[in-house]
Structures are given as C-alpha cells and as structure tokens.
Amino acid sequence: MTLFGGIEAGGTKFVCILAEGPEHVIARSEFPTTTPEQTIGRAIRFFREPPAGAGELAAIGIASFGPVDLNRSSSTYGYITDTPKPGWSNVDFAGGLRREFNLPVGFDTDVNGAALAELKWGAAQGLHTFLYLTIGTGIGGGGFVGGAPMHGLVHPEMGHIRLPHDWAVDPFAGNCPFHGDCLEGLASGPAIEKRWGMPATRLGMDHPAWALEALYLSYALVNLICALSPQKLILGGGVMRQTQLFPLIWQKVPQLLAGYVRNPLILEYIDQYIVPPGLGSEAGVLGAVALAMQALQHK
Amino acid sequence: MTLFGGIEAGGTKFVCILAEGPEHVIARSEFPTTTPEQTIGRAIRFFREPPAGAGELAAIGIASFGPVDLNRSSSTYGYITDTPKPGWSNVDFAGGLRREFNLPVGFDTDVNGAALAELKWGAAQGLHTFLYLTIGTGIGGGGFVGGAPMHGLVHPEMGHIRLPHDWAVDPFAGNCPFHGDCLEGLASGPAIEKRWGMPATRLGMDHPAWALEALYLSYALVNLICALSPQKLILGGGVMRQTQLFPLIWQKVPQLLAGYVRNPLILEYIDQYIVPPGLGSEAGVLGAVALAMQALQHK
C-alpha cells in the first residue's frame, strides 16, 4: 500500500502520522516543539522508520503553524517566515523534507490543512466556501472560497481581527502581544486563563466565562459571515472541547446578525451551520495527510 | 460592432450604458430608483432604443444592490431577494431582462461587478485575491478569492461587520437599522451626516470627522486583511471622493496591524495596497458591462 506521511506542526507540539488514508493510520508520534533541528529531525526519523511490513512512503504533507510562505513562485516557498517563535524564523520546512526524502511535499497552514481534511472526509464535504477555525492556545482560521484554499497575499490571520470590547463588562485588556484585545487576545485559552485566574478546564460549565467567550467568538463569526459568506463554519481546537460553547454561540450569532442575512442555515438550522470538526481533534493531522495526497496527485 | 448593455442598479439610482468596451461607451442614462416596474422598464426602453448606427446588443450585465440570489442552481437565481427596500423583494431582475431581450444576462452584486471591471481593466489586473469596497450611502464589499468571484452561502455583506467603538470618543450610536454601530452604521455617508449634523461634503478637509472616519474604515480593512489576506484593497464610493481619507488610512492600517502581517505591501507600499478604483466612479457600471461580456462568453 501507498503510505502518506503527515506532520501537524504546532507551536507547542508536533503530531506525525503514517497513514494509508483517514481510517488507516499505521503509526503515530507526538513530541514537543523545541528547536527546528531537533523537532524536524524527530519527524524525519519517524518517517525513516515505518513499522515492519508497512508500505512505501509516497509523499509527505505539512500543516504548519505560521506565518508561512505559500506562494509557489517565491524563493522562500515552504518556509516558516517571520515568527516570534525563537529559532523558527526563515526555516525551509517543506524544502528540508523534500531534499531529505526526495518525495513530493504538500505544504499549507495548519488550518487550511484541517479545512482540506474536513472537505475530503469531514463536515465540509461537497461545499465550496467554508471556514475552519481553531480556538486553543492561539486562534487561527483558514478554509476554502469558491473551491480554492485561502492563500492570498500571505494567508489569513483570523485570530487577529478586532471586535467590540465593552471594558465596563470585561476590563481584561487582552493578552495579544501585538494587538492587546484582538480576538486571540480576548478569547484564546491563555486569555481565558489570565482573565479568570485559572485554566479554562477548571472553570465550571456555568461559569460566566463561557457566555463572555461565546460573545467574542460570535462577534468574530458574524464578521467572518459578513466578510466571506461561508456555507459552513467549523470550530475546532482545545477551547471548543468545552462543548457548552456551541449552544451559546448558536443563540448569539443570529441575535447579532439581527435578521440581516436571511438564509435558513442561519435562521433555522444554525446548529448545522456552526459545527465541530467532523474529524474531531484529528482534523489537523489528517489535514497533513490530505496535503500529502494532493502533493502526490499534482507532482 | 457587438454592443453590451450594462445596468449599475443602486438603491438610489440606476446607471445604464451601451458600450463596445470600457473605452467605447455609445450611450448612457441615469435615473432614480423608484418601483421595479418603472425603473427596470426605463432600463429596457434605454436598451431598446440604441443610437442610430450603433451595433447590435449581444448581452446584458446587471451589477445590482442586494441581497441577491447568485446560486445558479436556485429557482430564484437572478432575483433581488429580501430587501428592506419597498417593492423590490422577490423581483426576478435577471430573468425579466433575459425574457425581454432573449439574450445572455450576467448578474452579480454591484461590488462584485465593480471588482470584475477592476480585474479586467483597472487596479486589480493580474491579481487573484482582492477586495472592492464601496463607501457611500451604504457600505458594501466584494471581490475575488483565488481567481473566483466571492459568492458563498449568499454573498458578502462587508458593510455589516462589527468594530471597536469607543463611546467616550464617539457617542454616536450608529444608524444601521439592523445593527446600530456596525461599519455601515458608523461610517456610511448618512452616518457621517447624522453624527456631525451636516452633509459630509460640507465638512472641511481638516474636520475631526475624517480622522474618525479613517479609524473605522481602518478597523474594517484590518479585519478584512486578517480574514482574507487580499493582495489589494480598492476603495470606491462617494465618501472616498474625500481623498484626504487615503493618507489617514495609509497611516492607521499599519499602526493597527502593529507589524503582525509582515509584507512589503503593508510595511512599505501601503499606498499601492489600499487604492482608489483604477476606473474611478465608472467601476460600477463598467462592472455591469464586464458581466455582460462574461455572460456572452459563457452562454
């Protein structure tokens, strides 16, 4: 069987899998993100040593934290570019893997990768315009518009949009080092922890933290609906494992749109419009596998 | 010569032209938007009576105010749908023209039309991902992502995104009947007039109104940059004829992004990134002509 290697490269950890497809994962490894040499080195060793009897590696896909260069005509295509993460600026991520294995290497943002996996095997099958957001340590978003992955000038940075912030209700200044109270600064996992003085996982399900979190996420979703008119919004990431957020968001988004976008998916079936990933927490790493498959097809 | 008919259908007025191309406009007519029967009727009469010696009408394009149905597989494709504008809900705009003339009819939003004209003949030539916003009586936006016009579930409604609104600095509550202080509620022409008690055109060039206007527009542009990563943002519409807004926006947008999106177009050449329409105030009606040309090609 043809084997595909997938790397979900996060700022905190890497997840690597060898798989024949979404339902046939042969091997898996997770390890913390340290230096590029060490971390990419571990990924390379993982792909070098497949389990006995496994097929041959045909392509590798990388779904990476950013910012990354996705412009195929650029001399730094496949690089992580100017990241504040120490040591990771100007790392030739895709090129390094390609030279090491002499195989096709697919490369995109972590969220565009997850969106591709959701399109192929998950909650976005058959759609042409949809978004995938991850709400966790950071907040990021990607997706497809008119059937094409969202690239553009660089790539979207949906975590950094600005929202109404009522300081009287929420005096927390936000913890984004660039923007203070952008979406990520108000609604990421670390922002919740800093605002309430304890990790989000320790806040009770009826803690007021969740209504506030749902409000900020709803403002962001409303802005993305108005900017892009997606056919579906898929919300993943650690914070969204607090599933009590979904009903709060389903209530708040139509309230904020106030009847302006008149479509049954918003007016009647909002729980089918704003959804968790069909692939659950595997969306990211299966996204990397989907990028590998695509790279083999297009080689 | 082959003639194309273009209708720029605005909520306030219709502009119709007969043209061989962007530089060969044969006839032009503007009239106020009243009832659908009367207004579309005038457009039909205009196309029925071309100047003596003009070529034959080959296709018609409509760049329309919305909301409109752009889904080609829908039974109401080409309709204006649920508009608050009296009499205009559920009007079969494209179908009416098609039946009247038995010609291909192109149909899209006014801003997607203008974006298409800018792509073919104006400031967006050679780009695949860019936005066109009009800031006037209302605020709307459209554009192309990955080479395809932005449609989606319905179509974008960029005028209705939510922004930070510092009530201590600007106590004006906004005049959007749906959302109060969304972008359109804070920054459209009528919002400026209502906030300052006189039409925008009567405010001096150094009136504080313009810095505030530039701030709201910059928040919106930052959100659109983060949501979509466009290669260019084109700003048209009556309010942007106050060209003193451009330098204020060129200063404010990089300030708000705070070095987060590191691209030379933002860091060094912002005046080439956020620009007026290459086609000036003709972008809209030439967009309708471009839609007519496209309809003939794809018939």
Side-chain angles (χ1 to χ4, degrees):
Chain A
M1 275 297 288
T2 306
L3 269 188
F4 297 96
I7 304 177
E8 183 188 11
T12 311
K13 69 171 182 180
F14 270 42
V15 182
C16 297
I17 65 175
L18 278 166
E20 293 172 0
E23 281 158 17
H24 298 91
V25 176
I26 308 293
R28 178 189 185 95
S29 177
E30 291 192 26
F31 40 89
T33 307
T34 58
T35 65
E37 296 69 29
Q38 213 173 27
T39 321
I40 298 176
R42 280 186 81 161
I44 289 172
R45 284 198 301 283
F46 170 76
F47 293 133
R48 281 249 172 268
E49 297 159 5
E56 189 156 353
L57 190 63
I60 294 169
I62 305 170
S64 180
F65 71 97
V68 290
D69 187 344
L70 302 176
N71 177 359
R72 284 174 185 276
S73 61
S74 155
S75 61
T76 55
Y77 169 76
Y79 279 54
I80 294 183
T81 57
D82 289 297
T83 174
K85 195 168 171 63
W88 284 87
S89 283
N90 303 309
V91 166
D92 182 8
F93 201 166
L97 271 288
R98 198 168 42 237
R99 283 188 295 275
E100 185 70 29
F101 289 94
N102 197 25
L103 289 175
V105 174
F107 185 70
D108 212 321
T109 61
D110 44 7
V111 279
N112 275 345
L116 178 62
E118 290 290 320
L119 176 64
K120 283 175 80 97
W121 306 306
Q125 292 175 61
L127 303 183
H128 53 76
T129 301
F130 67 95
L131 301 181
Y132 180 97
L133 281 99
T134 179
I135 297 112
T137 311
I139 296 182
F144 283 71
V145 174
M150 295 182 72
H151 290 170
L153 181 67
V154 185
H155 49 71
E157 289 285 2
M158 298 185 193
H160 296 271
I161 65 174
R162 306 297 174 86
L163 309 172
H165 173 193
D166 185 340
W167 291 75
V169 170
D170 174 25
F172 178 58
N175 70 344
C176 173
F178 293 89
H179 312 120
D181 64 348
C182 64
L183 171 61
E184 182 170 294
L186 290 172
S188 65
I192 300 174
E193 176 164 353
K194 196 164 177 196
R195 179 187 291 110
W196 301 103
M198 66 180 88
T201 46
R202 282 182 45 212
L203 299 164
M205 269 187 58
D206 51 2
H207 192 284
W210 302 118
L212 190 65
E213 178 72 8
L215 176 68
Y216 290 134
L217 294 177
S218 297
Y219 272 128
L221 298 182
V222 161
N223 281 0
L224 293 168
I225 291 166
C226 289
L228 278 151
S229 198
Q231 297 168 292
K232 191 174 271 194
L233 294 138
I234 304 171
L235 307 186
V239 170
M240 295 312 300
R241 270 176 235 146
Q242 304 286 330
T243 52
Q244 71 274 19
L245 283 168
F246 280 98
L248 296 170
I249 291 169
W250 292 332
Q251 188 177 41
K252 188 52 81 177
V253 165
Q255 243 179 51
L256 291 174
L257 284 170
Y260 193 73
V261 182
R262 302 195 68 74
N263 183 279
L265 275 174
I266 293 169
L267 300 176
E268 294 169 54
Y269 307 108
I270 189 86
D271 59 341
Q272 294 166 42
Y273 186 57
I274 299 170
V275 300
L279 303 169
S281 56
E282 294 302 282
V285 70
L286 289 177
V289 170
L291 288 167
M293 290 178 167
Q294 207 175 52
L296 184 65
Q297 251 172 7
H298 295 174
K299 89 167 172 184
Chain B
M1 274 297 287
T2 307
L3 268 188
F4 298 94
I7 304 176
E8 183 187 12
T12 312
K13 67 170 182 182
F14 271 42
V15 183
C16 297
I17 64 175
L18 278 166
E20 294 173 359
E23 283 159 14
H24 297 91
V25 176
I26 307 292
R28 177 189 186 94
S29 178
E30 293 192 24
F31 40 89
T33 307
T34 58
T35 64
E37 297 67 31
Q38 211 174 28
T39 322
I40 297 175
R42 280 186 80 161
I44 289 171
R45 284 198 301 282
F46 171 76
F47 293 133
R48 282 248 172 269
E49 299 159 5
E56 190 155 354
L57 191 62
I60 293 169
I62 304 170
S64 180
F65 72 98
V68 290
D69 187 343
L70 302 175
N71 178 358
R72 285 174 184 277
S73 60
S74 155
S75 62
T76 55
Y77 169 75
Y79 279 55
I80 294 181
T81 57
D82 288 297
T83 175
K85 196 168 170 62
W88 284 86
S89 285
N90 303 310
V91 165
D92 182 8
F93 201 166
L97 271 288
R98 200 169 40 239
R99 283 188 294 275
E100 186 68 30
F101 290 93
N102 197 25
L103 289 174
V105 174
F107 185 71
D108 212 322
T109 61
D110 45 5
V111 279
N112 276 345
L116 177 63
E118 290 289 320
L119 176 65
K120 284 176 79 98
W121 306 307
Q125 291 175 61
L127 304 183
H128 53 75
T129 302
F130 68 95
L131 301 181
Y132 181 97
L133 281 99
T134 179
I135 296 111
T137 311
I139 297 183
F144 282 72
V145 173
M150 295 182 72
H151 291 170
L153 180 69
V154 186
H155 48 70
E157 289 286 1
M158 297 186 193
H160 296 271
I161 64 175
R162 305 298 174 86
L163 309 171
H165 174 193
D166 184 342
W167 291 75
V169 170
D170 175 25
F172 178 58
N175 69 343
C176 172
F178 293 89
H179 312 119
D181 64 348
C182 64
L183 171 60
E184 183 171 293
L186 290 172
S188 66
I192 300 173
E193 176 163 352
K194 195 163 177 198
R195 180 189 289 111
W196 301 103
M198 67 180 90
T201 46
R202 280 183 46 214
L203 298 165
M205 270 187 58
D206 50 2
H207 193 284
W210 303 118
L212 190 66
E213 178 72 9
L215 176 68
Y216 291 134
L217 294 178
S218 296
Y219 271 128
L221 299 182
V222 160
N223 281 359
L224 293 168
I225 291 167
C226 289
L228 278 152
S229 198
Q231 297 168 292
K232 191 173 272 192
L233 294 138
I234 303 171
L235 307 187
V239 171
M240 295 312 299
R241 269 177 234 146
Q242 303 286 330
T243 52
Q244 70 275 18
L245 283 168
F246 279 98
L248 297 169
I249 291 169
W250 293 331
Q251 188 177 41
K252 188 53 82 180
V253 165
Q255 244 179 49
L256 292 174
L257 284 170
Y260 193 75
V261 182
R262 302 195 68 73
N263 184 279
L265 275 174
I266 293 169
L267 300 175
E268 295 168 53
Y269 307 109
I270 190 85
D271 59 339
Q272 294 167 42
Y273 186 57
I274 299 170
V275 300
L279 303 169
S281 56
E282 293 302 283
V285 71
L286 290 177
V289 170
L291 289 167
M293 290 178 167
Q294 207 174 53
L296 184 64
Q297 251 172 6
H298 295 172
K299 87 165 170 184

